[in-house]
Amino acid sequence: MSSQHPASSATPSATPSASPTDGTTSLHGTVQQANQAVNYVSAHWENWVTNGIRIVFIAVVALIVRAVVVRLIDKLVDRMAHSNHHAAQNALINGLLANAERRRQRSQAMGSVLRSVTSFVILGTAAITILPVLGINLAPLLASAGVAGVAIGFGARNLVTDFLSGVFMIIEDQYGVGDQIDTGVATGTVLEVGLRVTKLRGANGEIWYIRNGEVKRIANLSQGWATANVEIPLGYHEDLDKVEKIILAATENMSQEEAWSEQLWEPVKVLGVDSLAADAMIVHVQAKVMPGKALGVGRELRRRIKEALEAADVRLGVTPQPADVPTQRTATPSDMAAPSALGDPNSSQSRATAPIPGLDDPNQK
């Protein structure tokens, strides 16, 4: 017998081993990326430096220009707020109220508007100039800004209207602090003039806040001159020439007093009979006075005219009735009473109310 020896076959196990080509490939990729970055930087660094310098230059120039313009605006505002005495006298002669607070607020408001507009224009121009340097396309931005501006304009149209109205009111000097104005919706003395609202103090002490865009008309009672009107009721028997001389003499003495000489700008005028009533005639007296002083001067004129007329034995009021004219009294329904049956002693009602004989005798018990 032949013995067979089984042949043992051994299978070698496959173990992973690092290939030398893998390390070489990764290193080569890193070097290639580094070379690309270096080439990109070397190709564009000049543009980056140039654009950076341009951006910095534009920003610095914009800030310098803005600072210079704002400084000029501040000097202009300060010059407007502190005008010299000669300008104040000319303003008073021309009928404008030379008020330091009014000039200050007006100049400050104008300065604020000018500074805001200047900053918006200069910085906006600088931003639009810088964006193309950064490679940003302005066409989509401008289109979006246009649509957004239209939407904001529709939503804030009242605010824009108030702002623009306030700007023109201040620039045109329609009114100022201390003026007494009538805006149609409220009347009072101006306390503050803003770009959006105007603050008034009413006659009863209330404060009105009026939006500038809602004001359609303005009556300024403090610019130019004012008129004091006085109406004097007189009887028909009074001599008008005598009354006119008395009034002119009384008002002339008033105009010579220091307290009233500055407020009365012209001699008082007697315009004559203004109206005729059934029992009196109205004499109209008028005086041109300083703005805002019409009420005070009118009260003083009434007092002095009354005293002067009473001293001259001129009666104020209606025409007196003659003493010999009898007054007739018209009978009223209450004066006429219905006839009573008790008034007739022979009537049955009177006999029924008569006392019974013998009941009132004190001797009977």
Side-chain angles (χ1 to χ4, degrees), residues 90-277:
N90 290 337
L92 186 61
I93 293 175
N94 294 331
L96 299 177
L97 186 60
N99 190 309
E101 180 66 17
R102 171 179 175 173
R103 293 197 306 269
R104 185 188 66 82
Q105 287 200 5
R106 179 169 177 259
S107 58
Q108 286 184 355
M110 293 179 63
S112 176
V113 173
L114 292 176
R115 283 191 292 267
S116 299
V117 172
T118 299
S119 300
F120 178 78
V121 172
I122 295 176
L123 297 181
T125 304
I128 293 175
T129 307
I130 289 174
L131 289 178
V133 178
L134 298 176
I136 300 175
N137 189 8
L138 293 180
L141 291 178
L142 294 178
S144 301
V147 175
V150 172
I152 294 174
F154 277 109
R157 59 184 181 275
N158 291 332
L159 182 62
V160 175
T161 302
D162 297 339
F163 180 82
L164 293 178
S165 299
V167 170
F168 284 106
M169 286 178 181
I170 293 173
I171 293 176
E172 295 173 0
D173 195 19
Q174 297 180 7
Y175 55 84
V177 175
D179 288 353
Q180 186 176 2
I181 64 173
D182 180 4
T183 62
V185 296
T187 302
T189 304
V190 180
L191 297 180
E192 184 178 349
V193 181
L195 295 178
R196 193 180 68 87
V197 296
T198 297
K199 186 188 297 185
L200 300 181
R201 172 76 70 179
N204 297 324
E206 70 277 8
I207 296 180
W208 296 90
Y209 294 89
I210 303 174
R211 289 172 45 192
N212 295 329
E214 297 295 329
V215 178
K216 303 302 180 183
R217 63 175 181 85
I218 299 174
N220 195 326
L221 307 179
S222 299
Q223 285 186 352
W225 45 268
T227 303
N229 295 294
V230 177
E231 295 181 349
I232 305 172
L234 296 173
Y236 284 101
H237 65 284
E238 301 295 345
D239 186 1
L240 293 179
D241 294 335
K242 176 183 177 182
V243 170
E244 182 176 356
K245 292 179 181 179
I246 295 172
I247 293 174
L248 293 179
T251 55
E252 184 178 358
N253 294 332
M254 176 180 173
S255 62
Q256 293 176 359
E257 296 181 6
E258 184 178 358
W260 302 102
S261 60
E262 295 182 357
Q263 300 184 23
L264 283 170
W265 285 9
E266 289 185 359
V268 179
K269 299 178 181 179
V270 180
L271 302 182
V273 179
D274 191 61
S275 62
L276 296 174

Side-chain angles (χ1 to χ4, degrees), residues 40-54 133:
Y40 181 80
V41 171
S42 61
H44 295 86
W45 73 271
E46 293 182 357
N47 292 332
W48 292 347
V49 173
T50 303
N51 293 337
I53 294 175
R54 290 177 60 186
V133 178

Side-chain angles (χ1 to χ4, degrees), residues 50-98:
T50 303
N51 293 337
I53 294 175
R54 290 177 60 186
I55 292 172
V56 173
F57 178 76
I58 293 172
V60 171
V61 170
L63 293 177
I64 292 176
V65 172
R66 178 183 177 274
V68 172
V69 175
V70 168
R71 183 64 181 273
L72 294 176
I73 292 174
D74 292 338
K75 288 185 177 180
L76 178 62
V77 170
D78 186 70
R79 186 175 181 180
M80 291 174 59
H82 300 85
S83 59
N84 53 25
H85 182 67
H86 180 68
Q89 288 183 347
N90 290 337
L92 186 61
I93 293 175
N94 294 331
L96 299 177
L97 186 60

